[in-house]
Amino acid sequence: MNFVFHIAIMAIIFSILAVGFKFFLKLIGTLDFSYMGIVMFGAYSASLIHLHRWWWILSSVAGAFVFSLPFTIFVMYLSTKLSELYFAIGTLTVYVLMYQLAFNLEFITRWAFGLAGIGRDVIADLDIVSIQSFLLFAAIVMILLFVGLYFFKRTYFFRILQARWEGPLITKSLGIYTSKYVLSMICITTLLAVIGWSLFAFYYRYIDPPSFWIGMLTVLLTISFLSYKYNEATTFLIGFGVMFFYEYLRFFKIVDPSKLWYIREIIFTLSIVIIGFVVFRKLQFARKQ
Amino acid sequence: MDLSYILFNTIVYGVLATTLAAFMAYWKFLNLAVAAYFVLSSYVVYQLVTFWFGRGFVAISLLLVWVFFCLHQLLLKLFKNEKQRDLAAIVITLSAAYFLDNIIAYFYGPWSINVQNVQIGIGTLIAIFVLLLLVFYYVFSKSTIWVVLKWIYEKTAVIKSLWVRVDRLLQIVFGMFLILLLATSFLYLTKSAIRPTDGIFFLLKAVGIMIMVWVDKKEYMFVGSLLYVIVEYILFIERWLPIVYKETLILFVILAVLLIKPEGLFSLAKRKT
């Protein structure tokens, strides 16, 4: 049963990340690889705050969100300055830069050994040690986030964001100054990125740079593209299916453990290539081009 | 100053950047799998030099080359004239690159390989460098074939009316770049070692030099590469900065050029970003 709980927790984490990734993709229409950099920075910030200051999970995540905001603003600046292709290259560069710094700044990140000993105290004396209680905590966080997004999508604020994307000239002619709306949208994706992988850090009580490498990006892209046209609940279900497959290979030793990593990456990258060929032509993002 | 280091790296990065720029210019998409193909070529070369045709791995290696070729053809066919091709190509080729890296790692393991029993002297390196510099300068700025390629997408009807077989021409040029990458990977293995995971670093170097020079100035890719390698050498090999940050330099170059002079250092024109 613990296997199912584990899959559910991983599905929650990846569905939160995928919703954030899709949010940007749908409203700006281009690929933002720096999202992974923000995920990395947010998770490290939350873990370090928690480890060194012994703040609780929630306050650590809030602190990490505040620290991640300069990246958010930088990405917003890039999105206004660069076209789709160059923006994708620029954000890919930011992602790899974050990864390399995570590896090289060993006095902060402890190199490939990673940060260990992260606690699970939610608030005051409430400590979620068991996998069941952590699942409950993660599920509550996810439900709160998704319900919040559901209501946000029905606000005037969100409609302006959509209008800005679909008819930029119309919004301009109406005298609507959209920068603050874009900033708020990027703040939401940052919040989802920080919460998503902070949950991962608190779940495993450990993070290291290799866990943020392209393998993780391929899993995120797979879930994001498969669930592109669906709502948050369906994203979670798709995430559950993908994570079940992902972890099933490891838990039940279907393949040689020394080759497991390669097999998994081969399967997922091949799936992205297939999804890319089959689904990309039907998806309606990148309409600006 | 180690001239051998500078020439060797200039040739490798220059060829990769030129290939990437050629893809961008003539096939109209950014092929991020170019560096993965370079790594794959290195393993093919290593296999041929070390074991000759005695092992089954050669067949697998050649099969992988064929897979790469097919992938490229599929990308061209399926996304022909489609506006979504830019982003689709980024996702597909990046995934394909990582796919190839993992396939190589699956068969050969994560360890590095080289063929250092073959020695290439400084005189040969200088000759290769000068030859490539002149050849690229000639073909990209003086020859007729590149004029035809340049107009393939913009004046398709005119080019077709001249009875030029566009698909065949593109395939021949693509094949030439593959052979060039194969030869460069051989050169690389004689001086250095390569691992399956190195592809991303070659890719970033190629992208960085391409952005630094500008995609339309392919004839200057080697000059850009030389400039970058000299800066890298002074900063890291002369030990002014910690060597662990050597691969980080190109990332700062990419971001700086995109933010400060997005039209490239070698361009007088204003690029639309």
Side-chain angles (χ1 to χ4, degrees):
Chain A
M1 199 60 191
N2 278 355
F3 176 69
V4 177
F5 290 154
H6 169 71
I7 298 297
I9 291 170
M10 293 303 288
I12 287 170
I13 292 167
F14 272 97
S15 59
I16 291 172
L17 292 179
V19 165
F21 189 78
K22 285 192 296 178
F23 201 66
F24 190 90
L25 194 58
K26 282 180 178 175
L27 289 175
I28 299 290
T30 187
L31 290 164
D32 175 20
F33 291 111
S34 69
Y35 185 73
M36 289 298 300
I38 293 170
V39 165
M40 194 187 308
F41 186 81
Y44 263 107
S45 302
S47 306
L48 285 166
I49 292 170
H50 191 75
L51 276 171
H52 294 295
R53 304 290 300 177
W54 283 112
W55 287 11
W56 304 312
I57 291 179
L58 296 177
S59 45
S60 299
V61 172
F65 172 66
V66 172
F67 281 131
S68 305
L69 279 178
F71 280 102
T72 299
I73 293 162
F74 178 67
V75 172
M76 192 187 86
Y77 177 68
L78 277 182
S79 75
T80 56
K81 194 168 169 63
L82 303 173
S83 67
E84 286 83 357
L85 184 67
Y86 288 96
F87 178 74
I89 294 171
T91 53
L92 183 65
T93 307
V94 171
Y95 164 42
V96 180
L97 182 64
M98 295 292 297
Y99 177 77
Q100 289 205 339
L101 289 177
F103 245 112
N104 293 332
L105 298 174
E106 55 186 291
F107 60 98
I108 298 174
T109 60
R110 294 184 203 160
W111 195 57
F113 299 113
L115 296 175
I118 303 163
R120 281 192 197 162
D121 47 339
V122 181
I123 191 162
D125 292 330
L126 180 60
D127 200 345
I128 41 170
V129 178
S130 69
I131 192 169
Q132 292 90 337
S133 53
F134 193 85
L135 173 62
L136 184 66
F137 171 71
I140 290 168
V141 170
M142 181 185 74
I143 290 166
L144 285 174
L145 283 173
F146 288 177
V147 168
L149 271 179
Y150 177 83
F151 285 111
F152 177 73
K153 284 180 180 174
R154 273 143 190 82
T155 58
Y156 173 72
F157 206 83
F158 184 76
R159 281 204 294 274
I160 287 184
L161 273 172
Q162 277 186 314
R164 178 197 169 272
W165 170 237
E166 288 171 6
L169 283 176
I170 297 171
T171 48
K172 261 187 187 174
S173 67
L174 292 172
I176 298 171
Y177 186 64
T178 56
S179 290
K180 64 180 177 185
Y181 296 98
V182 176
L183 180 65
S184 66
M185 187 270 295
I186 296 178
C187 282
I188 290 170
T189 60
T190 305
L191 183 68
L192 291 167
V194 172
I195 290 177
W197 213 251
S198 296
L199 280 178
F200 178 90
F202 288 111
Y203 173 53
Y204 274 97
R205 299 176 170 191
Y206 169 84
I207 51 167
D208 60 352
S211 54
F212 296 96
W213 197 222
I214 296 179
M216 184 206 157
L217 178 66
T218 53
V219 177
L220 180 62
L221 288 177
T222 307
I223 296 171
S224 300
F225 292 144
L226 283 176
S227 65
Y228 186 76
K229 286 191 171 178
Y230 303 107
N231 60 19
E232 287 79 10
T234 316
T235 305
F236 169 72
L237 292 176
I238 289 171
F240 191 88
V242 171
M243 290 319 299
F244 184 83
F245 177 72
Y246 190 82
E247 297 288 22
Y248 187 83
L249 292 172
R250 181 158 68 101
F251 271 74
F252 296 98
K253 296 185 172 61
I254 303 295
V255 293
D256 177 7
S258 65
K259 304 276 186 187
L260 173 71
W261 176 265
Y262 306 129
I263 292 277
R264 235 169 26 180
E265 301 310 313
I266 287 166
I267 292 169
F268 272 85
T269 47
L270 195 61
S271 73
I272 297 262
V273 172
I274 294 166
I275 291 168
F277 276 128
V278 177
V279 184
F280 249 76
R281 311 171 91 196
K282 294 175 185 169
L283 300 183
Q284 286 304 303
F285 67 82
R287 280 169 291 183
K288 204 194 263 183
Q289 292 184 58
Chain B
M1 185 173 274
D2 186 355
L3 191 63
S4 169
Y5 172 92
I6 290 172
L7 287 176
F8 166 69
N9 283 299
T10 302
I11 292 168
V12 173
Y13 301 154
V15 167
L16 281 170
T18 309
T19 311
L20 199 66
F23 270 104
M24 189 84 171
Y26 306 125
W27 287 272
K28 298 292 174 195
F29 67 88
L30 188 65
N31 189 346
L32 297 178
V34 161
Y37 176 73
F38 176 74
V39 177
L40 178 63
S41 307
S42 303
Y43 277 84
V44 173
V45 167
Y46 167 75
Q47 195 65 51
L48 290 173
V49 172
T50 314
F51 302 109
W52 197 229
F53 286 101
R55 299 272 184 97
F57 282 135
V58 177
I60 294 165
S61 306
L62 292 175
L63 184 70
L64 290 176
V65 176
W66 183 243
V67 165
F68 182 81
F69 185 78
C70 290
L71 180 83
H72 180 263
Q73 290 302 315
L74 260 175
L75 205 60
L76 278 177
K77 292 281 179 204
L78 287 176
F79 290 95
K80 202 170 188 176
N81 301 324
E82 283 204 18
K83 289 180 177 179
Q84 291 187 9
R85 196 162 74 171
D86 276 357
L87 292 182
I90 285 178
V91 171
I92 290 170
T93 55
L94 188 64
S95 302
Y98 200 52
F99 170 76
L100 288 175
D101 287 350
N102 280 287
I103 287 270
I104 297 165
Y106 181 83
F107 286 113
Y108 290 90
W111 302 280
S112 59
I113 54 149
N114 60 46
V115 287
Q116 287 183 353
N117 51 339
V118 181
Q119 294 295 323
I120 293 180
I122 183 76
T124 317
L125 274 179
I126 293 171
I128 294 170
F129 175 73
V130 173
L131 182 72
L132 284 173
L133 196 68
L134 293 176
V135 167
F136 278 134
Y137 183 77
Y138 173 76
V139 294
F140 288 126
S141 57
K142 305 283 182 195
S143 67
T144 314
I145 187 169
W146 299 103
V147 177
V148 175
L149 282 168
K150 192 177 173 183
W151 293 108
I152 276 178
Y153 287 96
E154 289 163 35
K155 306 278 183 190
T156 311
V158 178
I159 294 294
K160 282 190 174 170
S161 70
L162 294 170
W163 298 97
V164 174
R165 293 179 67 184
V166 172
D167 289 344
R168 180 59 57 86
L169 182 66
L170 285 174
Q171 280 172 2
I172 290 169
V173 176
F174 176 69
M176 284 165 62
F177 274 110
L178 293 192
I179 292 166
L180 183 66
L181 281 177
L182 200 67
T184 312
S185 61
F186 173 71
L187 177 73
Y188 185 81
L189 286 181
T190 60
K191 288 272 177 191
S192 188
I194 202 165
R195 288 174 302 170
T197 48
D198 287 346
I200 186 81
F201 301 109
F202 287 112
L203 171 70
L204 288 167
K205 294 265 171 66
V207 170
I209 291 164
M210 186 189 80
I211 286 174
M212 188 174 80
V213 174
W214 188 20
V215 66
D216 278 355
K217 294 281 179 188
K218 288 174 288 298
E219 61 272 29
Y220 294 120
M221 288 298 163
F222 260 69
V223 182
S225 175
L226 181 65
L227 189 70
Y228 173 77
V229 173
I230 289 173
V231 172
E232 186 186 78
Y233 183 85
I234 292 169
L235 289 179
F236 297 102
I237 309 300
E238 296 285 344
R239 304 288 179 187
W240 288 10
L241 289 174
I243 193 82
V244 290
Y245 293 105
K246 191 162 82 78
E247 305 300 334
T248 313
L249 175 67
I250 195 69
L251 305 172
F252 282 109
V253 170
I254 294 174
L255 287 176
V257 173
L258 284 178
L259 288 172
I260 298 164
K261 198 170 187 302
E263 64 274 18
L265 302 181
F266 290 71
S267 168
L268 297 173
K270 181 86 177 162
R271 184 171 76 198
K272 192 185 171 191
T273 50

